[in-house]
Amino acid sequence: MTEIFVAKADDLPDGERRIVTHDGVEIGVFHWQGMFYAYRNLCVHQGGPACEGLIMHKVEDVLGPDRTWHGQRFSSDEVHFVCPWHGYEYDLRTGECASDRRLKLKTYQVIRRGEDIYVRAD
Ligand code: FES
C-alpha cells in the first residue's frame, strides 16, 4: 500500500487543490468545506485533466409550480469541477459525472496524520 505525501494541511487551505503524481498517474486532491477528496486526474470523456478545471457550484434551473422556467441559480450545496477540455462536470464530493452518474472518476482515500495530508495510491 503506497501513501503519497500531498501537502501540509496549512499549505492546502479549504477551497484549494493539489495534483500529485505517482508512477505516472496524476491524482487531484481537493480540500472542500473541511473534507478531503481525491480523484484520478483523467476525464472519462477523452482523458483530459478533469481535476484541474474550474470549481463552481452546480447551476440549476428554477421552476415554478406549473413547471415553467424562471431562470437559473447556483446550488447552495452541490459543487462541481469542470474538465477544462470539453466541460464535463464532476461532483466534487463523489467524483461522479454530473450529467451521467454512472460515469465516475477513480477515487482515492485521503489520510491526515497530524498536519500531513497523504493519498493512498493502491
Ligand atoms: S476530456 Fe474532459 S470533457 Fe472531454
Side-chain angles (χ1 to χ4, degrees):
M1 193 171 323
T2 304
E3 293 181 0
I4 303 152
F5 177 73
V6 176
K8 292 282 189 189
D10 284 350
D11 294 332
L12 186 53
D14 211 303
E16 296 285 325
R17 84 196 97 177
R18 285 281 187 286
I19 307 295
V20 296
T21 303
H22 174 70
D23 280 347
V25 173
E26 291 186 349
I27 301 170
V29 182
F30 296 83
H31 185 187
W32 188 260
Q33 295 184 336
M35 302 291 289
F36 291 92
Y37 306 91
Y39 306 108
R40 186 164 184 192
N41 190 23
L42 188 73
C43 183
V44 299
H45 179 222
Q46 291 182 356
C51 297
E52 297 174 34
L54 182 72
I55 297 172
M56 59 182 284
H57 286 258
K58 172 188 175 188
V59 176
E60 55 191 17
D61 290 328
V62 179
L63 301 177
D66 60 352
R67 308 278 305 154
T68 54
W69 188 75
H70 292 266
Q72 293 182 313
R73 66 182 171 214
F74 288 111
S75 168
S76 59
D77 56 348
E78 190 170 326
V79 178
H80 296 168
F81 53 94
V82 185
C83 179
W85 281 12
H86 314 100
Y88 271 37
E89 295 187 25
Y90 294 93
D91 188 319
L92 195 147
R93 292 185 178 89
T94 66
E96 295 170 345
C97 185
S99 61
D100 184 347
R101 298 276 174 177
R102 295 170 300 177
L103 303 174
K104 187 176 180 183
L105 298 174
K106 177 176 172 55
T107 62
Y108 298 88
Q109 183 181 5
V110 180
I111 301 156
R112 180 171 182 165
R113 276 201 201 88
E115 291 306 305
D116 295 334
I117 308 297
Y118 296 87
V119 67
R120 185 166 287 166
D122 300 323

